[in-house]
């Protein structure tokens, strides 16, 4: 995922925002189905890799698309690529 | 076949070309190929040419669009007569039921837009959809309110949209999903926009059509009609002269 923000963003703030967006749209039950977990986060290049359950990956993408601010800083998050493996992801993003 | 994605409702400050350039660059980066921004009905051909140039610099096809906010039916008819041949897309902002009904049955209207968030002031019901299905108008939905609203207001808005979209699908009224973005941070990738459209009841392919096929077909059809050699759908003037 690539995020844009008007200020620097910490990993904790980013993850709280993603979880918040999922709660808001799909509730606690929906959030529990995602098995969401951070794999990597780079605040400088503003890129993050998240793991999510394949069956609800579209729900996670929708929730992420609905983010407009991270800790009060105007932001937008775009999904760059989705892959089943980290290796596949690296290949897709470097292509 | 690869889809051509379009966002027919970018809303930069019309007096600021720099903001338009910024939005156009971002839209191009995100994967759009065609964009439109509502222009005032008084916009000159020169202004439209400038915007086309700004967009073509970043590889975008600019579509001239006018949003009309008529006071009554007569006003609507006058504006349609005046503007139809000047703009590629005409959108009617339906603020009263009378205007919504007249706009839905008029073949010169391309887009029906309901700007109010209050469900009592949105008139896209079965009667409206039936009229629109006989005309040529599409139902336009902006994604921006879904992004900026929160809590019960957003819940109510999504519920209203879900009802309207189901009526539109039932009567085969084309649905066009646009961003309504006033700044770059409110722009989303076409596939993300389509996913957000799934929140109000569009399936995967319907949502993708709403950001690609439906808007591009509309623009193509209108461009065809605006050509000087156009006679009727499927009929073009090939040669003119006494020996024909």
């Amino acid at each position: 995922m690539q995020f844009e923000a008007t200020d620097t963003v910490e990993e904790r703030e980013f993850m709280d925002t993603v979880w918040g967006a999922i709660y808001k749209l799909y509730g606690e039950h929906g959030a529990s189905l995602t098995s969401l977990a951070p794999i990597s986060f780079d605040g400088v290049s503003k890129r993050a890799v998240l793991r999510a359950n394949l069956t609800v990956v579209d729900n996670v993408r929708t929730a992420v698309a609905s983010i407009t601010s991270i800790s009060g800083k105007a932001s937008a998050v775009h999904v760059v690529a989705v892959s089943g493996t980290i290796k596949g992801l690296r290949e897709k993003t470097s292509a | 076949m690869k889809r051509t994605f379009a966002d027919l409702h970018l809303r930069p400050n019309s007096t600021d070309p720099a903001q338009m350039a910024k939005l156009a660059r971002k839209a191009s980066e995100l994967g759009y190929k065609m964009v439109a921004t509502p222009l005032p009905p008084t916009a000159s051909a020169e202004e439209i040419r400038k915007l086309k140039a700004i967009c073509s610099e970043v590889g975008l096809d600019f579509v001239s669009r006018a949003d009309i906010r008529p006071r009554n039916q007569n006003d609507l008819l006058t504006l349609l007569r005046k503007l139809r041949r000047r703009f590629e897309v005409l959108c009617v902002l339906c603020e009263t039921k009378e205007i919504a009904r007249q706009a839905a049955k008029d073949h010169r209207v391309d887009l029906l837009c309901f700007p109010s968030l209050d469900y009592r002031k949105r008139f896209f019901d079965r009667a409206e959809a039936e009229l629109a299905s006989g005309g040529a108008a599409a139902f336009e939905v902006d994604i921006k309110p879904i992004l900026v609203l929160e809590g019960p207001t957003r819940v109510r808005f999504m519920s209203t949209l879900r009802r309207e979209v189901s009526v539109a699908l039932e009567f085969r009224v084309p649905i066009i999903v646009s961003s309504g973005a006033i700044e770059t941070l409110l722009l989303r990738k076409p596939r993300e926009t389509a996913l957000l459209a799934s929140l109000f009841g569009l399936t995967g392919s319907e949502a993708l059509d709403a950001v690609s096929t439906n808007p591009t077909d509309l623009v193509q059809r209108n461009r065809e009609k605006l050509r000087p050699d156009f006679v009727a759908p499927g009929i073009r003037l090939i040669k003119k002269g006494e020996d024909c």
Side-chain angles (χ1 to χ4, degrees):
Chain A
M1 285 174 198
Q2 177 87 53
F3 58 92
E4 302 168 49
T6 48
D7 205 348
T8 52
V9 172
E10 300 293 322
E11 182 177 356
R12 185 77 254 155
E13 294 174 324
F14 179 77
M15 284 311 294
D16 285 350
T17 307
V18 174
W19 275 116
I22 296 171
Y23 282 143
K24 267 191 200 166
L25 280 183
Y26 302 104
E28 290 186 1
H29 174 253
S32 73
L33 299 173
T34 62
S35 314
L36 196 72
I39 301 285
S40 70
F41 180 88
D42 184 348
V44 181
S45 64
K46 295 187 173 171
R47 284 202 165 203
V49 178
L50 301 189
R51 189 191 69 200
N53 203 332
L54 176 68
T55 52
V56 289
V57 76
D58 276 350
N59 291 2
V60 175
R61 289 185 74 161
T62 310
V64 160
S66 74
I67 293 171
T68 51
S69 72
I70 300 176
S71 297
K73 303 153 200 161
S75 314
V77 186
H78 305 289
V79 175
V80 178
V82 178
S83 175
T85 61
I86 299 289
K87 188 182 167 195
L89 195 70
R90 295 239 163 83
E91 282 166 7
K92 274 189 182 180
T93 49
S94 62
Chain B
M1 206 175 77
K2 208 175 169 197
R3 286 177 185 267
T4 302
F5 293 107
D7 185 348
L8 295 186
H9 203 193
L10 294 182
R11 291 166 54 207
N13 184 350
S14 56
T15 55
D16 185 3
Q19 201 197 355
M20 178 64 206
K22 214 167 140 188
L23 264 179
R25 202 174 314 118
K26 189 72 199 170
S28 173
E29 275 171 29
L30 294 178
Y32 291 98
K33 292 281 173 227
M34 184 184 274
V35 293
T37 181
L39 298 164
T42 51
S44 65
E46 184 55 34
E47 283 173 73
I48 296 172
R49 242 195 317 275
K50 273 185 194 162
L51 288 170
K52 271 189 194 291
I54 289 173
C55 290
S56 67
E57 263 177 40
V58 289
L60 286 176
D61 181 1
F62 179 79
V63 179
S64 60
R65 161 182 171 150
D67 283 10
I68 51 182
R69 200 185 285 268
R71 290 185 300 273
N72 52 42
Q73 280 190 27
N74 288 339
D75 195 23
L76 171 67
L77 296 175
T78 313
L79 286 166
L80 286 173
R81 206 175 305 125
K82 210 165 92 182
L83 301 173
R84 179 64 277 185
R85 297 214 52 93
R86 286 185 50 214
F87 292 93
E88 289 163 329
V89 172
L90 277 187
C91 173
V92 177
L93 304 172
C94 305
E95 286 174 336
T96 66
K97 197 181 232 181
E98 178 201 9
I99 288 164
R101 296 290 191 258
Q102 182 62 42
K105 62 187 174 194
D106 199 308
H107 284 257
R108 293 169 294 181
V109 175
D110 299 315
L111 296 173
L112 297 170
C113 187
F114 299 86
S116 176
L117 300 178
D118 181 357
Y119 70 94
R120 282 162 295 198
K121 290 181 183 163
R122 297 175 65 93
F123 310 101
F124 197 85
D125 49 16
R126 294 175 66 86
E128 179 81 0
E130 199 170 351
L131 288 172
S133 67
F139 175 52
E140 186 181 51
V141 180
D142 277 351
I143 286 296
K144 190 190 148 214
I146 290 185
L147 297 179
V148 297
L149 292 176
E150 278 186 14
T153 328
R154 178 158 82 167
V155 173
R156 271 196 298 273
F157 182 67
M158 285 202 288
S159 153
T160 308
L161 274 185
R162 197 172 298 119
R163 196 176 51 240
E164 291 173 348
V165 161
S166 105
V167 168
L169 291 172
E170 188 186 335
F171 286 90
R172 293 171 187 268
V173 177
I175 298 165
I176 291 180
V177 176
S178 309
S179 67
I182 48 173
E183 52 166 332
T184 54
L185 286 176
L186 289 174
L187 268 177
R188 295 291 178 272
K189 285 184 173 182
R191 283 180 197 278
E192 290 165 358
T193 305
L195 282 169
L196 286 167
S198 69
L199 291 175
F200 45 80
L202 288 177
T203 62
S205 63
E206 286 164 353
L208 282 173
D209 284 347
V211 288
S212 59
T213 323
N214 294 352
T216 53
D217 283 356
L218 171 88
V219 171
Q220 225 164 10
R221 194 178 64 223
N222 284 358
R223 282 185 174 163
E224 180 74 20
K225 282 185 190 170
L226 289 173
R227 284 167 61 128
D229 57 359
F230 174 82
V231 179
I235 308 170
R236 272 193 305 131
L237 184 69
I238 293 176
K239 198 176 165 192
K240 206 173 178 181
E242 283 176 11
D243 59 335
C244 292

mmCIF file of all heavy atoms in Angstrom, chain A residues 42-76:
data_model
loop_
_atom_site.group_PDB
_atom_site.id
_atom_site.type_symbol
_atom_site.label_atom_id
_atom_site.label_comp_id
_atom_site.label_asym_id
_atom_site.label_seq_id
_atom_site.Cartn_x
_atom_site.Cartn_y
_atom_site.Cartn_z
ATOM 1 N N ASP A 42 7.215 1.496 5.930
ATOM 2 C CA ASP A 42 8.304 2.449 5.689
ATOM 3 C C ASP A 42 7.705 3.855 5.627
ATOM 4 O O ASP A 42 7.030 4.205 4.660
ATOM 5 C CB ASP A 42 9.009 2.082 4.362
ATOM 6 C CG ASP A 42 10.223 2.963 4.099
ATOM 7 O OD1 ASP A 42 10.381 3.974 4.810
ATOM 8 O OD2 ASP A 42 11.009 2.630 3.191
ATOM 9 N N GLY A 43 7.939 4.605 6.691
ATOM 10 C CA GLY A 43 7.368 5.949 6.787
ATOM 11 C C GLY A 43 7.986 6.929 5.808
ATOM 12 O O GLY A 43 7.383 7.960 5.501
ATOM 13 N N VAL A 44 9.205 6.617 5.332
ATOM 14 C CA VAL A 44 9.883 7.547 4.417
ATOM 15 C C VAL A 44 9.309 7.410 3.005
ATOM 16 O O VAL A 44 8.901 8.395 2.387
ATOM 17 C CB VAL A 44 11.414 7.297 4.420
ATOM 18 C CG1 VAL A 44 12.123 8.269 3.486
ATOM 19 C CG2 VAL A 44 11.960 7.417 5.833
ATOM 20 N N SER A 45 9.294 6.167 2.508
ATOM 21 C CA SER A 45 8.734 5.979 1.158
ATOM 22 C C SER A 45 7.204 5.894 1.198
ATOM 23 O O SER A 45 6.558 5.796 0.162
ATOM 24 C CB SER A 45 9.306 4.717 0.521
ATOM 25 O OG SER A 45 8.904 3.589 1.269
ATOM 26 N N LYS A 46 6.645 5.954 2.406
ATOM 27 C CA LYS A 46 5.193 5.897 2.625
ATOM 28 C C LYS A 46 4.587 4.644 2.020
ATOM 29 O O LYS A 46 3.596 4.704 1.303
ATOM 30 C CB LYS A 46 4.528 7.173 2.089
ATOM 31 C CG LYS A 46 4.956 8.398 2.854
ATOM 32 C CD LYS A 46 4.214 9.622 2.461
ATOM 33 C CE LYS A 46 4.581 10.767 3.397
ATOM 34 N NZ LYS A 46 4.088 12.043 3.010
ATOM 35 N N ARG A 47 5.228 3.519 2.296
ATOM 36 C CA ARG A 47 4.733 2.228 1.807
ATOM 37 C C ARG A 47 4.529 1.275 2.976
ATOM 38 O O ARG A 47 5.320 1.291 3.923
ATOM 39 C CB ARG A 47 5.708 1.613 0.814
ATOM 40 C CG ARG A 47 5.631 2.287 -0.536
ATOM 41 C CD ARG A 47 6.154 1.403 -1.628
ATOM 42 N NE ARG A 47 5.728 1.950 -2.912
ATOM 43 C CZ ARG A 47 5.623 1.255 -4.020
ATOM 44 N NH1 ARG A 47 5.920 -0.014 -4.036
ATOM 45 N NH2 ARG A 47 5.233 1.810 -5.145
ATOM 46 N N ALA A 48 3.516 0.464 2.879
ATOM 47 C CA ALA A 48 3.268 -0.535 3.917
ATOM 48 C C ALA A 48 2.822 -1.826 3.269
ATOM 49 O O ALA A 48 2.185 -1.805 2.218
ATOM 50 C CB ALA A 48 2.187 -0.031 4.870
ATOM 51 N N VAL A 49 3.219 -2.943 3.891
ATOM 52 C CA VAL A 49 2.753 -4.250 3.422
ATOM 53 C C VAL A 49 1.907 -4.855 4.543
ATOM 54 O O VAL A 49 2.358 -4.934 5.679
ATOM 55 C CB VAL A 49 3.933 -5.185 3.068
ATOM 56 C CG1 VAL A 49 3.426 -6.556 2.625
ATOM 57 C CG2 VAL A 49 4.801 -4.572 1.978
ATOM 58 N N LEU A 50 0.691 -5.225 4.215
ATOM 59 C CA LEU A 50 -0.204 -5.822 5.203
ATOM 60 C C LEU A 50 -0.610 -7.207 4.752
ATOM 61 O O LEU A 50 -0.722 -7.465 3.549
ATOM 62 C CB LEU A 50 -1.481 -4.980 5.364
ATOM 63 C CG LEU A 50 -1.377 -3.527 5.790
ATOM 64 C CD1 LEU A 50 -2.767 -2.990 6.088
ATOM 65 C CD2 LEU A 50 -0.518 -3.381 7.028
ATOM 66 N N ARG A 51 -0.840 -8.078 5.731
ATOM 67 C CA ARG A 51 -1.357 -9.406 5.408
ATOM 68 C C ARG A 51 -2.843 -9.418 5.747
ATOM 69 O O ARG A 51 -3.253 -8.864 6.765
ATOM 70 C CB ARG A 51 -0.621 -10.455 6.253
ATOM 71 C CG ARG A 51 -0.916 -11.882 5.838
ATOM 72 C CD ARG A 51 -0.390 -12.845 6.863
ATOM 73 N NE ARG A 51 -1.175 -12.737 8.095
ATOM 74 C CZ ARG A 51 -0.745 -13.148 9.286
ATOM 75 N NH1 ARG A 51 0.458 -13.648 9.421
ATOM 76 N NH2 ARG A 51 -1.504 -13.038 10.355
ATOM 77 N N ALA A 52 -3.643 -10.029 4.871
ATOM 78 C CA ALA A 52 -5.079 -10.136 5.161
ATOM 79 C C ALA A 52 -5.598 -11.461 4.623
ATOM 80 O O ALA A 52 -4.990 -12.051 3.716
ATOM 81 C CB ALA A 52 -5.837 -8.985 4.513
ATOM 82 N N ASN A 53 -6.695 -11.901 5.180
ATOM 83 C CA ASN A 53 -7.309 -13.142 4.738
ATOM 84 C C ASN A 53 -7.835 -12.973 3.301
ATOM 85 O O ASN A 53 -8.509 -11.984 2.994
ATOM 86 C CB ASN A 53 -8.478 -13.440 5.683
ATOM 87 C CG ASN A 53 -8.829 -14.890 5.689
ATOM 88 O OD1 ASN A 53 -8.607 -15.578 4.700
ATOM 89 N ND2 ASN A 53 -9.377 -15.351 6.788
ATOM 90 N N LEU A 54 -7.535 -13.948 2.439
ATOM 91 C CA LEU A 54 -7.900 -13.843 1.024
ATOM 92 C C LEU A 54 -9.403 -13.657 0.807
ATOM 93 O O LEU A 54 -9.825 -12.885 -0.044
ATOM 94 C CB LEU A 54 -7.417 -15.096 0.283
ATOM 95 C CG LEU A 54 -7.797 -15.199 -1.198
ATOM 96 C CD1 LEU A 54 -7.080 -14.143 -2.009
ATOM 97 C CD2 LEU A 54 -7.458 -16.579 -1.747
ATOM 98 N N THR A 55 -10.208 -14.332 1.623
ATOM 99 C CA THR A 55 -11.663 -14.294 1.394
ATOM 100 C C THR A 55 -12.261 -12.909 1.623
ATOM 101 O O THR A 55 -13.331 -12.611 1.118
ATOM 102 C CB THR A 55 -12.379 -15.315 2.308
ATOM 103 O OG1 THR A 55 -11.946 -15.074 3.631
ATOM 104 C CG2 THR A 55 -12.086 -16.743 1.900
ATOM 105 N N VAL A 56 -11.587 -12.081 2.419
ATOM 106 C CA VAL A 56 -12.141 -10.756 2.705
ATOM 107 C C VAL A 56 -11.211 -9.643 2.207
ATOM 108 O O VAL A 56 -11.299 -8.506 2.664
ATOM 109 C CB VAL A 56 -12.432 -10.573 4.218
ATOM 110 C CG1 VAL A 56 -13.608 -11.423 4.637
ATOM 111 C CG2 VAL A 56 -11.214 -10.864 5.052
ATOM 112 N N VAL A 57 -10.355 -9.987 1.260
ATOM 113 C CA VAL A 57 -9.377 -8.989 0.808
ATOM 114 C C VAL A 57 -10.071 -7.773 0.174
ATOM 115 O O VAL A 57 -9.625 -6.635 0.344
ATOM 116 C CB VAL A 57 -8.315 -9.638 -0.127
ATOM 117 C CG1 VAL A 57 -8.831 -9.909 -1.500
ATOM 118 C CG2 VAL A 57 -7.062 -8.781 -0.188
ATOM 119 N N ASP A 58 -11.214 -7.997 -0.493
ATOM 120 C CA ASP A 58 -11.936 -6.864 -1.081
ATOM 121 C C ASP A 58 -12.518 -5.942 0.000
ATOM 122 O O ASP A 58 -12.569 -4.730 -0.182
ATOM 123 C CB ASP A 58 -13.049 -7.355 -2.012
ATOM 124 C CG ASP A 58 -12.519 -7.654 -3.413
ATOM 125 O OD1 ASP A 58 -11.348 -7.296 -3.688
ATOM 126 O OD2 ASP A 58 -13.249 -8.246 -4.215
ATOM 127 N N ASN A 59 -12.938 -6.546 1.109
ATOM 128 C CA ASN A 59 -13.456 -5.718 2.212
ATOM 129 C C ASN A 59 -12.341 -4.838 2.780
ATOM 130 O O ASN A 59 -12.552 -3.668 3.087
ATOM 131 C CB ASN A 59 -14.010 -6.603 3.338
ATOM 132 C CG ASN A 59 -15.274 -7.312 2.925
ATOM 133 O OD1 ASN A 59 -15.728 -7.178 1.786
ATOM 134 N ND2 ASN A 59 -15.843 -8.084 3.824
ATOM 135 N N VAL A 60 -11.152 -5.430 2.904
ATOM 136 C CA VAL A 60 -10.019 -4.654 3.424
ATOM 137 C C VAL A 60 -9.678 -3.526 2.446
ATOM 138 O O VAL A 60 -9.461 -2.383 2.846
ATOM 139 C CB VAL A 60 -8.786 -5.566 3.662
ATOM 140 C CG1 VAL A 60 -7.572 -4.758 4.082
ATOM 141 C CG2 VAL A 60 -9.105 -6.607 4.721
ATOM 142 N N ARG A 61 -9.687 -3.846 1.159
ATOM 143 C CA ARG A 61 -9.377 -2.812 0.140
ATOM 144 C C ARG A 61 -10.406 -1.685 0.194
ATOM 145 O O ARG A 61 -10.063 -0.512 0.065
ATOM 146 C CB ARG A 61 -9.372 -3.428 -1.266
ATOM 147 C CG ARG A 61 -8.189 -4.339 -1.511
ATOM 148 C CD ARG A 61 -8.163 -4.823 -2.930
ATOM 149 N NE ARG A 61 -7.747 -3.747 -3.816
ATOM 150 C CZ ARG A 61 -7.284 -3.942 -5.052
ATOM 151 N NH1 ARG A 61 -7.196 -5.161 -5.529
ATOM 152 N NH2 ARG A 61 -6.914 -2.936 -5.793
ATOM 153 N N THR A 62 -11.684 -2.057 0.352
ATOM 154 C CA THR A 62 -12.742 -1.041 0.426
ATOM 155 C C THR A 62 -12.531 -0.154 1.647
ATOM 156 O O THR A 62 -12.610 1.077 1.558
ATOM 157 C CB THR A 62 -14.128 -1.717 0.502
ATOM 158 O OG1 THR A 62 -14.220 -2.688 -0.527
ATOM 159 C CG2 THR A 62 -15.245 -0.719 0.348
ATOM 160 N N ALA A 63 -12.247 -0.786 2.781
ATOM 161 C CA ALA A 63 -12.052 -0.018 4.016
ATOM 162 C C ALA A 63 -10.853 0.915 3.876
ATOM 163 O O ALA A 63 -10.912 2.082 4.279
ATOM 164 C CB ALA A 63 -11.855 -0.975 5.181
ATOM 165 N N VAL A 64 -9.790 0.404 3.278
ATOM 166 C CA VAL A 64 -8.574 1.208 3.102
ATOM 167 C C VAL A 64 -8.856 2.400 2.171
ATOM 168 O O VAL A 64 -8.388 3.505 2.401
ATOM 169 C CB VAL A 64 -7.441 0.298 2.566
ATOM 170 C CG1 VAL A 64 -6.355 1.100 1.906
ATOM 171 C CG2 VAL A 64 -6.852 -0.527 3.705
ATOM 172 N N ALA A 65 -9.678 2.149 1.144
ATOM 173 C CA ALA A 65 -10.020 3.234 0.200
ATOM 174 C C ALA A 65 -10.850 4.315 0.878
ATOM 175 O O ALA A 65 -10.883 5.462 0.423
ATOM 176 C CB ALA A 65 -10.771 2.665 -0.993
ATOM 177 N N SER A 66 -11.529 3.961 1.969
ATOM 178 C CA SER A 66 -12.394 4.953 2.634
ATOM 179 C C SER A 66 -11.627 5.839 3.621
ATOM 180 O O SER A 66 -12.196 6.742 4.210
ATOM 181 C CB SER A 66 -13.544 4.244 3.351
ATOM 182 O OG SER A 66 -13.062 3.610 4.516
ATOM 183 N N ILE A 67 -10.330 5.588 3.775
ATOM 184 C CA ILE A 67 -9.538 6.394 4.728
ATOM 185 C C ILE A 67 -9.285 7.795 4.156
ATOM 186 O O ILE A 67 -8.848 7.936 3.014
ATOM 187 C CB ILE A 67 -8.186 5.694 5.035
ATOM 188 C CG1 ILE A 67 -8.434 4.397 5.801
ATOM 189 C CG2 ILE A 67 -7.242 6.615 5.801
ATOM 190 C CD1 ILE A 67 -7.209 3.511 5.972
ATOM 191 N N THR A 68 -9.594 8.813 4.947
ATOM 192 C CA THR A 68 -9.333 10.193 4.496
ATOM 193 C C THR A 68 -8.382 10.924 5.445
ATOM 194 O O THR A 68 -7.924 12.017 5.124
ATOM 195 C CB THR A 68 -10.634 11.008 4.391
ATOM 196 O OG1 THR A 68 -11.335 10.870 5.618
ATOM 197 C CG2 THR A 68 -11.500 10.543 3.251
ATOM 198 N N SER A 69 -8.122 10.328 6.611
ATOM 199 C CA SER A 69 -7.150 10.971 7.504
ATOM 200 C C SER A 69 -6.486 9.932 8.398
ATOM 201 O O SER A 69 -7.093 8.916 8.745
ATOM 202 C CB SER A 69 -7.822 12.053 8.361
ATOM 203 O OG SER A 69 -8.625 11.462 9.335
ATOM 204 N N ILE A 70 -5.217 10.186 8.712
ATOM 205 C CA ILE A 70 -4.480 9.321 9.645
ATOM 206 C C ILE A 70 -4.069 10.199 10.821
ATOM 207 O O ILE A 70 -3.325 11.169 10.635
ATOM 208 C CB ILE A 70 -3.236 8.681 8.972
ATOM 209 C CG1 ILE A 70 -3.661 7.831 7.759
ATOM 210 C CG2 ILE A 70 -2.443 7.855 9.970
ATOM 211 C CD1 ILE A 70 -2.519 7.229 6.954
ATOM 212 N N SER A 71 -4.597 9.902 11.990
ATOM 213 C CA SER A 71 -4.363 10.709 13.203
ATOM 214 C C SER A 71 -4.596 12.200 12.949
ATOM 215 O O SER A 71 -3.753 13.034 13.293
ATOM 216 C CB SER A 71 -2.938 10.501 13.714
ATOM 217 O OG SER A 71 -2.748 9.189 14.088
ATOM 218 N N GLY A 72 -5.667 12.496 12.287
ATOM 219 C CA GLY A 72 -6.028 13.890 12.057
ATOM 220 C C GLY A 72 -5.307 14.555 10.896
ATOM 221 O O GLY A 72 -5.569 15.725 10.596
ATOM 222 N N LYS A 73 -4.379 13.811 10.235
ATOM 223 C CA LYS A 73 -3.681 14.403 9.088
ATOM 224 C C LYS A 73 -4.363 13.923 7.814
ATOM 225 O O LYS A 73 -4.548 12.715 7.645
ATOM 226 C CB LYS A 73 -2.209 13.950 9.046
ATOM 227 C CG LYS A 73 -1.440 14.266 10.305
ATOM 228 C CD LYS A 73 -0.288 13.286 10.493
ATOM 229 C CE LYS A 73 0.188 13.266 11.931
ATOM 230 N NZ LYS A 73 0.954 12.074 12.269
ATOM 231 N N ALA A 74 -4.738 14.854 6.953
ATOM 232 C CA ALA A 74 -5.442 14.490 5.710
ATOM 233 C C ALA A 74 -4.597 13.483 4.937
ATOM 234 O O ALA A 74 -3.402 13.701 4.720
ATOM 235 C CB ALA A 74 -5.676 15.727 4.871
ATOM 236 N N SER A 75 -5.191 12.370 4.547
ATOM 237 C CA SER A 75 -4.435 11.284 3.902
ATOM 238 C C SER A 75 -5.283 10.532 2.897
ATOM 239 O O SER A 75 -6.511 10.657 2.877
ATOM 240 C CB SER A 75 -3.962 10.257 4.934
ATOM 241 O OG SER A 75 -3.403 10.876 6.036
ATOM 242 N N ALA A 76 -4.599 9.728 2.110
ATOM 243 C CA ALA A 76 -5.279 8.783 1.216
ATOM 244 C C ALA A 76 -4.380 7.554 1.132
ATOM 245 O O ALA A 76 -3.160 7.680 1.155
ATOM 246 C CB ALA A 76 -5.465 9.387 -0.163
#
